[in-house]
Amino acid sequence: MHAEILDVGFMNVVFPKGRIKYTGKEIEPLWAFNMFDVQKDSIVAFRGGMEVKIENMKDLKDVKEEGEFKIPIKGDDCIHFIVEHFDNPDLKMIYLRQRILICIAKDTIESFGVKLDREGDDLYCNGKKLSVCIATRGVSSAKIHLGINVNSKGIPEHVEGIGLEDIGIFDIEEVMRKIAISYAKEMEKIEKDIRKTAPLY
Amino acid sequence: MHAEILDVGFMNVVFPKGRIKYTGKEIEPLWAFNMFDVQKDSIVAFRGGMEVKIENMKDLKDVKEEGEFKIPIKGDDCIHFIVEHFDNPDLKMIYLRQRILICIAKDTIESFGVKLDREGDDLYCNGKKLSVCIATRGVSSAKIHLGINVNSKGIPEHVEGIGLEDIGIFDIEEVMRKIAISYAKEMEKIEKDIRKTAPLY
Amino acid sequence: MHAEILDVGFMNVVFPKGRIKYTGKEIEPLWAFNMFDVQKDSIVAFRGGMEVKIENMKDLKDVKEEGEFKIPIKGDDCIHFIVEHFDNPDLKMIYLRQRILICIAKDTIESFGVKLDREGDDLYCNGKKLSVCIATRGVSSAKIHLGINVNSKGIPEHVEGIGLEDIGIFDIEEVMRKIAISYAKEMEKIEKDIRKTAPLY
Amino acid sequence: MHAEILDVGFMNVVFPKGRIKYTGKEIEPLWAFNMFDVQKDSIVAFRGGMEVKIENMKDLKDVKEEGEFKIPIKGDDCIHFIVEHFDNPDLKMIYLRQRILICIAKDTIESFGVKLDREGDDLYCNGKKLSVCIATRGVSSAKIHLGINVNSKGIPEHVEGIGLEDIGIFDIEEVMRKIAISYAKEMEKIEKDIRKTAPLY
Amino acid sequence: MHAEILDVGFMNVVFPKGRIKYTGKEIEPLWAFNMFDVQKDSIVAFRGGMEVKIENMKDLKDVKEEGEFKIPIKGDDCIHFIVEHFDNPDLKMIYLRQRILICIAKDTIESFGVKLDREGDDLYCNGKKLSVCIATRGVSSAKIHLGINVNSKGIPEHVEGIGLEDIGIFDIEEVMRKIAISYAKEMEKIEKDIRKTAPLY
Amino acid sequence: MHAEILDVGFMNVVFPKGRIKYTGKEIEPLWAFNMFDVQKDSIVAFRGGMEVKIENMKDLKDVKEEGEFKIPIKGDDCIHFIVEHFDNPDLKMIYLRQRILICIAKDTIESFGVKLDREGDDLYCNGKKLSVCIATRGVSSAKIHLGINVNSKGIPEHVEGIGLEDIGIFDIEEVMRKIAISYAKEMEKIEKDIRKTAPLY
């Protein structure tokens, strides 16, 4: 698939040409390689709908609670971030990174003059849910999916959702690009920090 | 030393009674055990001055750049956070956690109605430096020190510093307690998230 | 499923209400979360039959040697322990813990006045097999199953088995609870020991 | 130093010729290589006195509690086990192995017809302390020291100690050899178990 | 299956009796245990054809590029090496070992008086491809397959292949045995080197 | 210190301006950062003498065997390679990389028309020692030093040494640059290979 691919330190930032609907298979290992030939750690950012069937969900708490709904994670227009790292076989690592990605998303959106709240890996605006997020891993890589609603169309009725446009943010492309690039820069800076730190003896 | 010790999930949150001056030795492994008998991962939060001699600095970039100054990290009144984790022998882990701690500090302070900027592990207000931070590790544990200026007294002249009181925040104790407890809760939530996540196959 | 859930340090000790037959699917990752909503490392202890088909066996040596039998691991009445840890991606870790669990089971049973022998992960009484045990892991967690015969009914004929009741132990509930709680306490104590130990330089 | 060196799987079991007094320096990394040229994981077992000064102690809880005594860990006649493993940079691993060593020591001693109690890494007989033990690690290897009293001579007065001879065990050499060899065999068996186990998917 | 099994340090070197065709299933975890009962890390070396269907290929770049061919990895007569290690859950480890295996193969073949070129994990002679290689891992073990052409029969036409016999090497058995044994000795020497090295403080 | 610094994938290849004498302190963690400000994994290649005192040696076998000599590792003119990686806390990883560096050095030198022999981490020409090498690690990084003799001046008499010039290679600079760059490219290619590999399930 065609995409704009940036080198940001040890990561690739990938902006596919055209929209992609998130269905849950994008969280599979090596999706970025298979789609865009990237052979670095990566963050792929794109816009599109979202429709994750119950059998593709990785958050088993959601599976339990939302089991009555057939397609509990849904939205007609979102921006998506798919992160993949290959560096440490511990699931905790990707959850720490997930929180950093969420904090970066929050800061980026707030720079447009709104105020959000973060609870764990969820973003809210005035108590309404702005995002969905999951982190998980396979044998060789760890993955994050973050989806941020552009508007609230198509969001399941039992979720009180809100989108970026609902809070007055219309430069969706810019938000998307800034979050992706900031995340890659943050990871790069951490790698650099590690390499200037005296350990303790 | 006397301290109030809270159990927050798998961590201890420790508030020592009385002030402690941060000199750099608090970053040493097992300082929390030696001082407060805590035998969990911990965040210790206290108020006091700060005076780190060049030979106790762990950021070797600072050591290079600040080498001309004998006590380059200094302040008369700060709140300090000393974090210690024992769970993964990878230095990167503690740097990821450091970023999360900084994001939590930023959110907490901003909840008082000010706007901060984060660059890596530094917080700024209107371009002035509000905090210092380092992460590092020894053989068995990883540590973070975060210091946030209460005011700008005693900050070396070559640093354009600012303190919480300078930006209108006077309930220092509340800021300090909220940051420490929020960090412990975040780490606890991550542990819980890990244990409800389906891995990828 | 209803269960009594104890907090013992960083672990949950879970005693389900009612009997559960062990079929091999209980060794799957996140079974404790799926059944009992536990989001800590856990040991689940219950009583019930056991019937593991050849295709659900994880010990490939048994699979080879017992391949002629369709249901080689079987018993009508056992106590079962299902352990799950999420902390280190090394399979060896869970095998070390398995040995500790077996030693604790041995000590607990011997405290009722009998003498057992341990060979690796097996317990014997007078040369007769009292237990079955396996450890394994998936991507994000490691698991142990230990089954201890209550009596010898239903044990395949080619195995010379024995049960707790055969050696004069009838307070099965107490044995079961003591083993589970002791294991969790041991793991907790190890976590504490780690956090008071000076490393070597 | 002269020693009998056995190959037991991937480990060396080392019995030095003559007595060695344990002073705390034997816990240092690579002591077994420096003394006996062993280039495998190893357990070295020997007999001799014990005298660990406060500054050589690795259990910082003991350091705190025993700080008033200059030589709090002391005994005139003990059997010692020095274990070194190089395989996983996690301190927890060696604590799990320590518990297994203690369980093996307990079983071995009990096979002489006495009954012991284990609490964490301590062995007791009738409430009297039979052993001392510590686990720790450096950058490249993890170590255990286990000392078991042969008699109670020289044990500090504030410790209620007991020795093997006090409970009727006089074949000290046999106890020592059996514990060391059983430990190495247990570790070997675990390595073998790992290599016949189907993981979970 | 019958095989000659050598103990070389902590590894088994396995030479099966008779030929085996490599189909891709030999790369599965625990194949060596299932076939030859080996319970150590192992290198299995054998001679036979090779025919890997597209769905059994692990190099996804090859899958993309060769997708038009149904059986892109093929040869009528090769020597094969199947390596399995269980010691570190990091995929990078097995790729480092893969390069060492390739270097050993190159040196061994060159000792017969020919000159080869290595590019990553491929060996060439006069620009023609002599070998195929892949490394990968599952949850508990890491694997390498190296196949070296004995002659160029059966190699797909789009690959310019060459075999050992084409470059004047006819003692195929000796090449095969030397590579396998040298690899196991190299791994053993590395284990020994680790255990005589002073770490840095 | 002034140096030419190349970016080769995730590594820096550093060629300092002017000669540097290797004394053993260059193996210390973060030497490349302290000297050249590099904040990536790195290989630094330079020419100069070598004189390592017994107390700075990391190979404890050499320390034992060479203890009678005060400066057992010595040479008047060598090319040196100092490698530093920060990615995995396992000492074995750096030993695997060390072997790859040695293989690359061998191949590079042989491309000038000579034939070398490798034994572990040593290179020989006609039975004479061409190189010295050590790998080790601290808390946060792993290091390699490889020294290759340019000539045999200054080599201790008890070592039968040989230098590149003795075997007809005079373009020392080119050898040095090729080895350093090839090593960085090899590591980069391994990182890329990892990111196109399907794991096993």
Side-chain angles (χ1 to χ4, degrees):
Chain A
M1 196 176 180
H2 286 286
E4 178 191 351
I5 300 180
L6 310 181
D7 269 305
V8 179
F10 74 103
M11 289 190 75
N12 278 143
V13 181
V14 182
F15 300 114
K17 305 291 182 201
R19 302 210 166 184
I20 301 175
K21 184 175 182 176
Y22 182 81
T23 63
K25 74 174 204 298
E26 300 76 9
I27 198 89
E28 296 299 321
L30 295 160
W31 176 77
F33 171 76
N34 285 326
M35 294 296 284
F36 311 106
D37 282 325
V38 296
Q39 284 181 267
K40 290 186 160 190
D41 286 11
S42 62
I43 180 164
V44 186
F46 54 88
R47 188 167 171 176
M50 170 164 60
E51 189 170 340
V52 187
K53 296 218 175 67
I54 199 86
E55 60 267 29
N56 290 334
M57 286 170 58
K58 302 300 168 194
D59 182 327
L60 298 180
K61 197 163 197 173
D62 285 356
V63 171
K64 282 189 184 192
E65 291 167 0
E66 313 279 325
E68 63 197 294
F69 309 99
K70 283 218 171 129
I71 306 168
I73 296 181
K74 206 174 159 309
D76 286 0
D77 194 0
C78 308
I79 49 174
H80 299 280
F81 304 89
I82 308 288
V83 174
E84 186 163 24
H85 290 281
F86 290 79
D87 59 347
N88 187 303
D90 191 333
L91 178 59
K92 200 182 295 177
M93 193 73 106
I94 197 67
Y95 267 105
L96 295 171
R97 280 171 160 144
Q98 183 211 44
R99 293 317 206 255
I100 294 173
L101 176 60
I102 299 287
C103 289
I104 287 170
K106 178 173 182 285
D107 278 0
T108 304
I109 295 168
E110 287 187 341
S111 72
F112 285 77
V114 296
K115 182 80 195 69
L116 304 183
D117 295 297
R118 180 176 72 82
E119 282 179 30
D121 58 2
D122 286 320
L123 293 176
Y124 294 88
C125 189
N126 296 321
K128 293 183 178 172
K129 205 155 179 285
L130 183 65
S131 64
V132 295
C133 197
I134 186 66
T136 181
R137 64 167 297 129
V139 164
S140 72
S141 66
K143 303 253 338 206
I144 305 170
H145 169 244
L146 166 63
I148 299 174
N149 302 317
V150 171
N151 56 50
S152 53
K153 284 177 205 149
I155 298 178
E157 284 186 17
H158 66 288
V159 179
E160 221 180 333
I162 196 169
L164 291 172
E165 293 180 350
D166 302 323
I167 54 178
I169 299 175
F170 295 92
D171 198 343
I172 304 304
E173 177 85 5
E174 194 191 334
V175 170
M176 189 183 81
R177 292 181 71 96
K178 258 181 99 170
I179 291 171
I181 291 170
S182 299
Y183 177 80
K185 282 187 177 166
E186 189 82 49
M187 290 303 120
E188 173 67 4
K189 188 157 184 351
I190 286 172
E191 294 293 330
K192 287 215 152 97
D193 286 354
I194 287 169
R195 287 159 177 84
K196 63 164 187 172
T197 300
L200 299 168
Y201 291 109
Chain B
M1 196 176 180
H2 285 286
E4 178 190 350
I5 300 180
L6 309 181
D7 269 306
V8 179
F10 73 102
M11 290 191 76
N12 278 143
V13 181
V14 183
F15 300 114
K17 304 291 182 202
R19 302 209 166 183
I20 301 175
K21 184 174 181 176
Y22 181 81
T23 64
K25 73 175 205 297
E26 299 77 9
I27 198 87
E28 296 299 320
L30 295 160
W31 177 77
F33 172 75
N34 286 326
M35 293 295 284
F36 311 105
D37 281 326
V38 295
Q39 283 180 268
K40 290 186 159 189
D41 286 10
S42 62
I43 181 165
V44 186
F46 55 88
R47 187 168 173 177
M50 171 164 62
E51 189 170 339
V52 187
K53 296 217 176 68
I54 200 84
E55 61 265 30
N56 289 335
M57 287 170 58
K58 302 300 169 194
D59 183 327
L60 298 180
K61 198 163 196 172
D62 285 356
V63 171
K64 282 189 185 193
E65 291 167 0
E66 313 279 324
E68 64 196 293
F69 309 98
K70 283 218 169 126
I71 305 169
I73 296 181
K74 206 174 159 309
D76 286 1
D77 193 359
C78 307
I79 49 175
H80 299 281
F81 303 89
I82 307 288
V83 173
E84 186 163 25
H85 290 282
F86 290 79
D87 59 347
N88 188 303
D90 191 333
L91 178 59
K92 201 182 294 176
M93 193 74 106
I94 198 66
Y95 266 106
L96 295 171
R97 281 171 160 144
Q98 182 210 45
R99 294 315 206 258
I100 295 173
L101 176 60
I102 299 287
C103 290
I104 286 170
K106 178 173 182 286
D107 279 359
T108 305
I109 295 168
E110 287 186 340
S111 73
F112 285 77
V114 297
K115 183 78 194 70
L116 304 183
D117 295 298
R118 181 176 72 83
E119 282 178 30
D121 58 2
D122 286 321
L123 293 176
Y124 294 88
C125 189
N126 296 323
K128 293 183 179 172
K129 206 156 179 284
L130 183 65
S131 65
V132 295
C133 196
I134 186 65
T136 182
R137 64 168 296 128
V139 164
S140 72
S141 66
K143 303 254 337 208
I144 306 169
H145 168 244
L146 167 63
I148 300 174
N149 302 318
V150 172
N151 56 50
S152 52
K153 283 177 205 150
I155 298 178
E157 285 185 17
H158 66 288
V159 179
E160 221 181 335
I162 196 169
L164 292 172
E165 293 179 350
D166 302 323
I167 54 177
I169 298 176
F170 295 94
D171 197 343
I172 304 304
E173 176 85 5
E174 193 191 336
V175 171
M176 188 182 82
R177 292 181 71 95
K178 258 181 101 171
I179 292 172
I181 291 170
S182 299
Y183 177 80
K185 282 187 176 166
E186 189 81 49
M187 290 303 120
E188 173 67 4
K189 188 156 183 353
I190 286 173
E191 294 293 330
K192 288 214 151 97
D193 286 355
I194 287 169
R195 287 159 177 85
K196 64 164 187 171
T197 299
L200 300 168
Y201 292 109
Chain C
M1 195 175 181
H2 285 287
E4 177 191 351
I5 300 181
L6 310 181
D7 269 306
V8 179
F10 74 104
M11 291 190 74
N12 276 143
V13 181
V14 183
F15 300 113
K17 304 292 181 201
R19 302 209 166 185
I20 300 175
K21 184 174 182 175
Y22 182 81
T23 64
K25 74 173 203 297
E26 299 78 8
I27 198 89
E28 296 300 320
L30 295 161
W31 176 78
F33 171 74
N34 286 326
M35 294 295 284
F36 311 106
D37 281 325
V38 296
Q39 283 181 267
K40 290 185 160 191
D41 286 9
S42 62
I43 181 166
V44 186
F46 55 89
R47 187 166 173 178
M50 170 163 61
E51 188 170 339
V52 188
K53 297 218 175 67
I54 199 85
E55 60 267 29
N56 290 335
M57 286 171 59
K58 302 301 170 194
D59 182 328
L60 299 180
K61 197 163 197 173
D62 285 357
V63 170
K64 283 190 186 192
E65 291 167 0
E66 313 279 324
E68 64 196 292
F69 309 99
K70 283 218 171 127
I71 306 168
I73 296 181
K74 206 175 159 308
D76 286 0
D77 193 0
C78 307
I79 49 175
H80 300 280
F81 303 89
I82 307 288
V83 174
E84 185 163 24
H85 290 282
F86 290 79
D87 59 347
N88 187 304
D90 190 334
L91 178 59
K92 200 183 294 178
M93 192 74 107
I94 198 67
Y95 267 105
L96 294 171
R97 280 171 160 145
Q98 182 211 44
R99 294 316 206 256
I100 294 173
L101 176 60
I102 300 287
C103 289
I104 287 170
K106 178 173 182 285
D107 278 0
T108 305
I109 296 168
E110 287 187 342
S111 74
F112 285 77
V114 296
K115 184 80 195 68
L116 305 182
D117 295 298
R118 181 176 72 83
E119 282 178 30
D121 59 1
D122 286 320
L123 293 177
Y124 294 88
C125 188
N126 296 323
K128 293 183 178 171
K129 205 154 179 286
L130 182 65
S131 65
V132 295
C133 196
I134 185 66
T136 181
R137 65 168 296 129
V139 164
S140 72
S141 66
K143 302 254 339 206
I144 306 170
H145 168 244
L146 167 63
I148 300 174
N149 302 318
V150 171
N151 56 50
S152 52
K153 283 176 204 148
I155 298 178
E157 283 186 18
H158 67 288
V159 179
E160 221 182 333
I162 196 169
L164 291 171
E165 294 180 350
D166 303 323
I167 54 178
I169 299 176
F170 295 93
D171 197 343
I172 303 305
E173 177 84 5
E174 194 192 335
V175 170
M176 189 183 82
R177 291 182 72 96
K178 258 181 99 169
I179 291 172
I181 291 170
S182 299
Y183 177 80
K185 284 187 176 165
E186 188 82 50
M187 290 303 119
E188 173 68 4
K189 188 155 183 354
I190 286 172
E191 294 293 330
K192 288 215 153 97
D193 286 354
I194 287 169
R195 286 159 177 86
K196 63 164 187 172
T197 300
L200 299 169
Y201 293 108
Chain D
M1 196 176 181
H2 285 287
E4 177 190 351
I5 300 180
L6 309 181
D7 269 306
V8 179
F10 73 103
M11 290 191 74
N12 278 144
V13 181
V14 182
F15 300 113
K17 304 292 182 202
R19 302 209 166 184
I20 300 176
K21 184 174 182 175
Y22 182 81
T23 64
K25 74 174 203 299
E26 298 78 8
I27 198 87
E28 296 300 319
L30 295 160
W31 177 77
F33 171 74
N34 285 325
M35 293 296 285
F36 310 107
D37 281 325
V38 296
Q39 283 180 269
K40 291 186 159 189
D41 286 9
S42 63
I43 181 166
V44 186
F46 54 88
R47 187 167 173 178
M50 170 163 62
E51 189 169 340
V52 187
K53 296 217 175 68
I54 200 85
E55 60 266 29
N56 290 335
M57 287 170 59
K58 302 300 169 193
D59 182 328
L60 298 180
K61 198 163 196 173
D62 286 356
V63 170
K64 282 190 186 194
E65 292 167 359
E66 313 278 325
E68 65 195 293
F69 310 99
K70 283 219 170 127
I71 306 169
I73 296 182
K74 205 173 159 310
D76 286 359
D77 193 359
C78 307
I79 49 175
H80 299 280
F81 303 89
I82 307 288
V83 173
E84 186 163 24
H85 290 282
F86 290 79
D87 59 348
N88 187 305
D90 191 334
L91 178 59
K92 200 182 294 177
M93 193 74 106
I94 198 67
Y95 266 105
L96 295 171
R97 280 171 160 144
Q98 181 210 47
R99 294 315 205 257
I100 295 172
L101 176 60
I102 300 287
C103 290
I104 287 170
K106 177 173 183 284
D107 278 1
T108 306
I109 296 168
E110 287 186 342
S111 73
F112 286 77
V114 296
K115 183 79 193 72
L116 304 183
D117 295 299
R118 179 176 73 82
E119 282 179 30
D121 59 2
D122 287 320
L123 292 177
Y124 294 88
C125 189
N126 297 322
K128 293 182 179 173
K129 206 154 179 287
L130 183 65
S131 65
V132 295
C133 196
I134 186 65
T136 182
R137 64 167 296 128
V139 164
S140 72
S141 66
K143 301 254 339 206
I144 306 170
H145 168 244
L146 167 63
I148 300 174
N149 302 317
V150 171
N151 56 49
S152 52
K153 283 178 203 148
I155 298 178
E157 283 186 19
H158 66 288
V159 178
E160 221 181 335
I162 196 169
L164 292 171
E165 293 179 351
D166 302 323
I167 54 178
I169 299 176
F170 295 93
D171 197 343
I172 304 304
E173 177 84 6
E174 194 191 335
V175 171
M176 188 183 81
R177 292 181 72 95
K178 259 181 99 169
I179 292 171
I181 291 170
S182 299
Y183 177 80
K185 283 187 176 166
E186 189 82 49
M187 290 303 120
E188 173 67 5
K189 188 155 184 354
I190 286 172
E191 294 294 329
K192 287 215 152 97
D193 286 354
I194 287 169
R195 286 160 178 85
K196 63 164 188 172
T197 300
L200 300 168
Y201 292 109
Chain E
M1 195 177 181
H2 286 287
E4 177 190 352
I5 300 180
L6 309 181
D7 269 306
V8 179
F10 73 103
M11 290 190 75
N12 278 143
V13 181
V14 182
F15 300 113
K17 305 291 181 201
R19 302 210 165 184
I20 301 175
K21 184 175 181 175
Y22 182 81
T23 63
K25 74 173 204 298
E26 299 77 8
I27 198 88
E28 296 300 320
L30 295 160
W31 177 78
F33 171 76
N34 285 326
M35 293 296 284
F36 311 106
D37 281 325
V38 296
Q39 283 181 267
K40 291 186 159 189
D41 286 9
S42 62
I43 181 165
V44 186
F46 55 88
R47 188 168 173 177
M50 170 163 62
E51 189 170 340
V52 186
K53 296 216 177 68
I54 200 84
E55 60 266 30
N56 290 335
M57 286 171 58
K58 302 299 169 195
D59 183 328
L60 299 180
K61 197 163 198 173
D62 285 357
V63 170
K64 281 189 185 193
E65 292 167 0
E66 313 278 324
E68 63 196 293
F69 310 97
K70 284 219 169 128
I71 306 169
I73 296 181
K74 205 174 159 310
D76 287 0
D77 194 358
C78 308
I79 49 175
H80 299 281
F81 304 89
I82 307 288
V83 173
E84 186 163 24
H85 290 281
F86 290 79
D87 59 348
N88 188 303
D90 191 333
L91 178 59
K92 200 182 295 178
M93 193 73 107
I94 197 68
Y95 267 105
L96 295 171
R97 280 171 160 145
Q98 182 210 45
R99 294 314 206 258
I100 294 173
L101 176 60
I102 299 288
C103 289
I104 287 170
K106 178 173 182 284
D107 279 0
T108 305
I109 295 168
E110 287 187 341
S111 73
F112 285 77
V114 297
K115 183 80 195 70
L116 304 182
D117 295 298
R118 179 177 73 84
E119 283 179 28
D121 59 1
D122 286 320
L123 292 177
Y124 294 88
C125 189
N126 297 322
K128 292 183 178 172
K129 204 155 180 285
L130 182 66
S131 65
V132 295
C133 197
I134 186 66
T136 182
R137 63 168 297 128
V139 164
S140 72
S141 65
K143 303 254 337 206
I144 306 169
H145 168 244
L146 166 63
I148 300 174
N149 302 318
V150 171
N151 56 50
S152 53
K153 283 177 205 149
I155 298 178
E157 284 187 18
H158 66 288
V159 178
E160 222 181 335
I162 196 169
L164 291 172
E165 294 180 350
D166 302 323
I167 54 177
I169 299 176
F170 295 93
D171 197 344
I172 304 305
E173 177 85 6
E174 193 191 335
V175 171
M176 189 183 81
R177 292 181 71 95
K178 257 181 100 169
I179 292 172
I181 292 170
S182 299
Y183 177 80
K185 283 187 176 167
E186 189 81 50
M187 291 302 120
E188 173 68 4
K189 187 156 183 354
I190 286 172
E191 295 293 330
K192 287 215 151 97
D193 285 355
I194 287 170
R195 286 160 177 84
K196 63 164 187 173
T197 300
L200 298 169
Y201 292 108
Chain F
M1 195 175 180
H2 285 288
E4 178 191 353
I5 300 181
L6 310 181
D7 269 306
V8 179
F10 73 104
M11 290 190 75
N12 277 144
V13 181
V14 183
F15 300 114
K17 304 291 180 201
R19 302 210 166 185
I20 300 175
K21 184 174 182 177
Y22 182 81
T23 62
K25 74 173 204 299
E26 299 77 8
I27 198 86
E28 297 299 321
L30 295 161
W31 177 78
F33 172 74
N34 286 326
M35 294 294 285
F36 311 106
D37 281 325
V38 296
Q39 283 181 267
K40 291 187 159 188
D41 286 10
S42 62
I43 181 165
V44 186
F46 54 88
R47 187 167 173 178
M50 170 164 61
E51 189 170 339
V52 187
K53 295 217 176 67
I54 200 84
E55 60 267 30
N56 289 335
M57 287 170 58
K58 302 300 168 194
D59 182 327
L60 299 180
K61 198 163 197 172
D62 284 356
V63 171
K64 282 189 185 193
E65 291 167 1
E66 313 278 325
E68 65 196 292
F69 310 98
K70 283 219 170 128
I71 305 169
I73 296 182
K74 205 174 159 310
D76 286 0
D77 194 359
C78 307
I79 49 175
H80 299 281
F81 304 89
I82 307 289
V83 174
E84 185 162 26
H85 290 282
F86 289 80
D87 60 347
N88 187 304
D90 191 333
L91 178 59
K92 201 182 294 178
M93 193 73 106
I94 198 66
Y95 266 105
L96 294 171
R97 281 172 160 144
Q98 182 210 44
R99 294 316 206 256
I100 294 173
L101 176 60
I102 300 286
C103 290
I104 287 171
K106 177 173 182 286
D107 278 0
T108 305
I109 295 168
E110 287 186 342
S111 74
F112 286 77
V114 296
K115 183 79 194 71
L116 304 183
D117 294 298
R118 180 176 72 83
E119 282 178 30
D121 58 3
D122 287 320
L123 292 177
Y124 295 88
C125 189
N126 296 323
K128 294 182 178 172
K129 206 155 179 284
L130 182 66
S131 65
V132 295
C133 197
I134 186 64
T136 182
R137 64 167 297 129
V139 163
S140 72
S141 66
K143 303 254 338 207
I144 306 170
H145 168 244
L146 167 63
I148 300 174
N149 303 317
V150 172
N151 56 49
S152 54
K153 283 177 204 147
I155 298 178
E157 284 187 19
H158 67 288
V159 179
E160 222 181 335
I162 195 170
L164 291 171
E165 293 180 351
D166 302 323
I167 54 178
I169 299 176
F170 295 93
D171 197 342
I172 303 305
E173 177 84 5
E174 194 192 336
V175 171
M176 189 182 82
R177 291 182 72 95
K178 258 181 99 170
I179 292 171
I181 291 169
S182 300
Y183 177 80
K185 283 187 176 166
E186 189 81 49
M187 291 303 120
E188 174 68 4
K189 188 156 184 351
I190 286 172
E191 294 293 331
K192 287 215 152 98
D193 286 355
I194 287 169
R195 287 160 177 85
K196 63 164 188 172
T197 300
L200 300 168
Y201 292 109

